[in-house]
Amino acid sequence: MYHKLVAAMSVLAFTAAACSGGDDAVVPAVEPTVPETTTTSSTTTTTTTEAPETTTTVVDEDDSIRQPLTGEIVDSEDDLIDRAALVVKIDNNDASARRNHSGLAVADIVFEEIVEGDTRFAAVFHSQGSEPVGPIRSGREQDVDMLSAFNSPLFAWSGGNPGVTRLIADSFLTDLNVQRGGEGYFRGPGSAPHDLYNTTEALWAQTPEDHPGPPARQFSYVAPDEEFEGEPVNAFDLSLDGKSVRWEWDADAEAFARFQRGTRHVDVVNGDIFSTNVIVMVVDYPPSTIDRNSPDAQTLGSGPVYVFSNGQVVVGRWERNLAVGPIKLVDADGEAIPLTPGNTWIELAENTGGDAFTGPPVDPTAFEDGETPPTTVEAPRIVLDEPELAPTPILIAFADDSSSGDG
């Protein structure tokens, strides 16, 4: 329990927990299930910059009854999905895994995190599932803080080094490690270690009897009679430690289409990958305290954020003080940035703008009843028309800019 409290109260950037690095499992082979397909995306540069002081407040939600991870409005609480959130770590190796991506298109929330020389996905399933899902890979230290807000989510992964394994076993995550008794894993398309799969049905079936239940709502959403409003965009390019990612607005789909290293990103089970919302969350990546070769995304504290939805972008700051609490998104005036109901991808982009852009979390235990007051963040702000001063390599093609459409 001590480790779980430490994970929950973790006081960011200068506190690390313990773990990372790979060590994938060797699992008995079985049935290939997934067909094959391929993909890749484009390049990147920048878009943003300075100005002082932002105020952050907790915002009131509307009284709509919503599915917790998509914001979809339902008629009554009886219509809410009553099962645990399920997180699956998915490989993103371009040569060996991407052609077999299964499940990403139907996840409610997907985090893309930088790992050693590549990126990896943490796909959060609640409203829909995928048969199969994968390829499944190893966990990292950064996964614990990143995922603890989903109410003890089931965590499907292929194992890790001893430090990672201990940290996750002692965390708020419900450990379904293939190396420690997780069931339903099988070998499918691809070559080892890029060929481990499961199904969401088999993973949900392993929910412990004493599991606390479904996740809490993670974001604010626009009211039923309103729309997300910002600066109109056609697309944007992002570089995640050299991996090029592009999102293009598709008005017919009412969502952003994903490209990677120049080509369309496809889920071989569920089709082209789209996202209603894309959040580019700028974070620091110091080395992991257990494996110095592994970057450790700091998702507690605060930093710059770009929020893309409804073919538009709003910039501001993200803030999160507890690992078990959701991410708050606020604009330059400290007002909540509400999302459009639907799925959400969160790109954990590396802060290249310097220490001034990010800040440590506020410790709620320092205040009576644990209620943190509104905080004033003195930090540079994103300025969309000064791309050379952006806090991360990102290039936005605005809808009224004919010179930057196809990136």
Side-chain angles (χ1 to χ4, degrees):
M1 188 58 175
Y2 170 75
H3 292 302
K4 294 190 177 184
L5 289 173
V6 170
M9 310 301 277
S10 178
V11 177
L12 179 82
F14 311 105
T15 328
C19 107
S20 71
D23 292 0
D24 291 291
V26 176
V27 180
V30 182
E31 65 200 278
T33 314
V34 199
E36 299 209 353
T37 306
T38 323
T39 352
T40 352
S41 175
S42 86
T43 40
T44 324
T45 332
T46 18
T47 296
T48 45
T49 203
E50 61 179 69
E53 207 167 284
T54 302
T55 305
T56 313
T57 57
V58 179
V59 295
D60 293 328
E61 297 286 354
D62 65 61
D63 57 2
S64 301
I65 301 171
R66 297 178 183 266
Q67 298 293 1
L69 303 190
T70 64
E72 177 194 357
I73 294 176
V74 294
D75 293 333
S76 74
E77 293 189 1
D78 292 339
D79 298 318
L80 294 174
I81 297 168
D82 186 23
R83 63 184 171 197
L86 164 64
V87 181
V88 183
K89 288 302 297 290
I90 295 182
D91 196 347
N92 194 28
N93 181 282
D94 281 296
S96 304
R98 182 182 161 192
R99 68 173 67 93
N100 297 317
H101 277 162
S102 307
L104 288 171
V106 295
D108 290 345
I109 296 174
V110 178
F111 293 86
E112 183 169 17
E113 61 187 6
I114 295 171
V115 293
E116 310 79 32
D118 210 333
T119 68
R120 194 159 288 178
F121 302 117
V124 188
F125 297 90
H126 185 247
S127 66
Q128 299 184 76
S130 180
E131 320 298 327
V133 60
I136 299 172
R137 288 298 300 274
S138 56
R140 296 293 184 273
E141 175 180 2
Q142 59 197 2
D143 296 333
V144 173
D145 279 350
M146 185 175 77
L147 301 169
S148 290
F150 294 101
N151 196 22
S152 298
L154 310 182
F155 186 59
W157 60 306
S158 65
N161 68 35
V164 184
T165 301
R166 282 193 301 272
L167 181 68
I168 290 175
D170 290 341
S171 76
F172 286 105
L173 310 185
T174 301
D175 187 3
L176 300 184
N177 184 349
V178 67
Q179 299 187 41
R180 293 171 69 107
E183 299 175 354
Y185 293 90
F186 61 89
R187 293 293 177 184
S191 57
H194 312 284
D195 61 345
L196 185 66
Y197 299 84
N198 209 316
T199 70
T200 53
E201 181 179 1
L203 292 165
W204 268 313
Q206 298 171 63
T207 305
E209 289 186 7
D210 61 351
H211 189 275
R217 192 190 304 186
Q218 298 296 301
F219 300 108
S220 299
Y221 292 92
V222 293
D225 57 346
E226 296 179 355
E227 290 186 346
F228 183 97
E229 294 184 354
E231 292 291 325
V233 300
N234 291 326
F236 67 95
D237 292 283
L238 186 66
S239 178
L240 299 174
D241 196 31
K243 174 159 281 189
S244 57
V245 173
R246 181 175 175 86
W247 291 92
E248 292 185 2
W249 175 245
D250 185 320
D252 292 333
E254 297 184 337
F256 288 90
R258 192 173 196 277
F259 295 74
Q260 188 167 292
R261 295 205 187 281
T263 60
R264 193 69 174 255
H265 195 173
V266 176
D267 176 327
V268 295
V269 175
N270 302 289
D272 290 344
I273 295 175
F274 292 92
S275 189
T276 305
N277 308 290
V278 183
I279 298 169
V280 178
M281 190 168 142
V282 181
V283 302
D284 292 321
Y285 275 96
S288 162
T289 56
I290 284 220
D291 181 353
R292 302 287 298 176
N293 294 318
S294 183
D296 184 25
Q298 302 296 293
T299 55
L300 297 181
S302 62
V305 72
Y306 301 76
V307 182
F308 295 86
S309 189
N310 193 33
Q312 299 172 71
V313 63
V314 172
V315 295
R317 291 188 68 79
W318 64 267
E319 179 183 309
R320 187 163 172 251
N321 294 318
L322 290 176
V324 292
I327 299 164
K328 287 187 274 184
L329 306 173
V330 296
D331 63 18
D333 298 318
E335 298 295 325
I337 303 173
L339 305 183
T340 303
N343 68 324
T344 299
W345 277 58
I346 301 171
E347 304 282 14
L348 296 178
E350 185 173 11
N351 173 26
T352 58
D355 293 344
F357 276 99
T358 55
V362 176
D363 181 3
T365 63
F367 301 94
E368 188 174 352
D369 299 324
E371 292 185 7
T372 56
T375 59
T376 299
V377 180
E378 294 186 6
R381 292 182 188 163
I382 295 170
V383 179
L384 289 172
D385 59 1
E386 296 185 44
E388 70 281 3
L389 296 174
T392 198
I394 184 171
L395 180 63
I396 301 175
F398 292 95
D400 58 356
D401 184 358
S402 58
S403 65
S404 59
D406 299 325

